[in-house]
Amino acid sequence: MQQLGVIGGMSWESTASYYRLLNQGVRERAGGLHSAPLLMHSLDFAQVAALQSSGDWKAAGALLADSAQRLEQAGATGLLLATNTMHKVAPVIEAAVSIPLLHIGDAVGLALQNAGIKRAALLGTRFTMLEDFYRLRLAERFDIDVRIPSEEQIGEIDRVIFAELCRGVFTDESRAFYLACLEDMRAQGCEVGILGCTEIGLLLEGVEAPLPLYDSTELHVQMGLDWMLAGD
């Protein structure tokens, strides 16, 4: 198996899911006592969140590029960035290393394309929903019409992510709100919902939703497993 580097900590709640799912996936695919050969660099999310809030994406990109270089130097031969939002600086990371970055947008886009999906609702941080680095990639590479909630809903979705989900808080009230947003998007013709924040899957795990859900974390993990086991 190829050794995968994971840039994590954004937040550690979702990074823990990556670690668990990658190891479970290797065990299921390879059998026996096999587990995932991983290198992980977990960042202090408070620092990253402050850079996001201030709009200092240059410094955020430099921080993650340094993390990627550390993992490459330690022996990683491929990278997973365990967050949706910070794929905004994916080009900076890719330019800093000579190993591939497995892009979360491509994991989501391929799954939607293979399922014949043409219109999808996107839930994530306000950066992921409002800026074009994610939506445009899905549109241009996979011909997916990505729709986002109303301005008021975007504000509350984002608040819940940072004030609750990233702190390990999962409430019935927030769960009901997210499901209501998905119902509104279903009424607008969306075929599926993209959980475009790695913590949202933790909130909606096991819940019956108005739309079929595509969890970006799970799809990204599957891409990582395919890459690690490609030569096996």
Side-chain angles (χ1 to χ4, degrees):
M1 288 183 283
Q2 301 187 81
Q3 188 159 247
L4 188 62
V6 180
I7 305 174
M10 298 166 284
S11 67
W12 71 260
E13 296 281 348
S14 62
T15 303
S17 294
Y18 268 87
Y19 183 78
R20 174 177 54 82
L21 291 169
L22 285 165
N23 279 287
Q24 286 177 345
V26 168
R27 182 176 61 192
E28 290 167 4
R29 295 194 189 192
L33 293 177
H34 286 293
S35 56
L38 303 174
L39 290 169
M40 184 175 291
H41 187 216
S42 190
L43 299 172
D44 177 4
F45 189 41
Q47 182 181 9
V48 177
L51 294 173
Q52 291 176 346
S53 181
S54 66
D56 194 349
W57 295 102
K58 182 177 180 180
L63 182 67
L64 269 65
D66 176 72
S67 179
Q69 289 173 337
R70 290 170 183 247
L71 289 167
E72 182 177 25
Q73 290 164 6
T77 53
L79 293 171
L80 279 186
L81 176 57
T83 161
N84 283 271
T85 298
M86 294 312 295
H87 276 77
K88 178 178 170 66
V89 299
V92 179
I93 297 170
E94 290 170 327
V97 294
S98 60
I99 58 177
L101 174 68
L102 309 181
H103 199 291
I104 199 168
D106 293 343
V108 172
L110 282 168
L112 295 176
Q113 188 179 67
N114 289 339
I117 302 300
K118 291 297 183 181
R119 179 177 293 175
L122 174 63
L123 303 185
T125 67
R126 61 187 173 90
F127 307 109
T128 300
M129 289 186 285
L130 291 175
E131 300 192 29
D132 63 7
F133 70 93
Y134 202 94
R135 292 183 289 114
L136 196 60
R137 193 177 187 98
L138 292 177
E140 292 183 344
R141 296 193 176 205
F142 305 100
D143 194 29
I144 308 297
D145 176 17
V146 180
R147 301 296 178 93
I148 58 175
S150 69
E151 182 177 351
E152 181 179 354
Q153 288 171 329
I154 286 172
E156 179 62 7
I157 290 168
D158 185 78
R159 185 200 68 77
V160 168
I161 289 170
F162 286 97
E164 298 178 15
L165 307 187
C166 289
R167 302 169 189 260
V169 177
F170 307 98
T171 69
D172 290 339
E173 181 180 5
S174 293
R175 188 173 295 110
F177 176 77
Y178 274 58
L179 293 174
C181 291
L182 288 167
E183 173 59 34
D184 288 347
M185 302 302 287
R186 185 194 66 77
Q188 296 174 35
C190 291
E191 301 168 80
V192 300
I194 301 170
L195 305 186
C197 171
T198 50
E199 287 82 15
I200 298 177
L202 298 173
L203 177 68
L204 299 183
E205 185 176 6
V207 173
E208 185 176 346
L211 290 170
L213 300 179
Y214 281 69
D215 188 333
S216 60
T217 300
E218 294 180 357
L219 295 171
H220 205 199
V221 165
Q222 292 304 314
M223 176 179 274
L225 290 169
D226 290 343
W227 183 86
M228 279 193 293
L229 295 162
D232 219 33

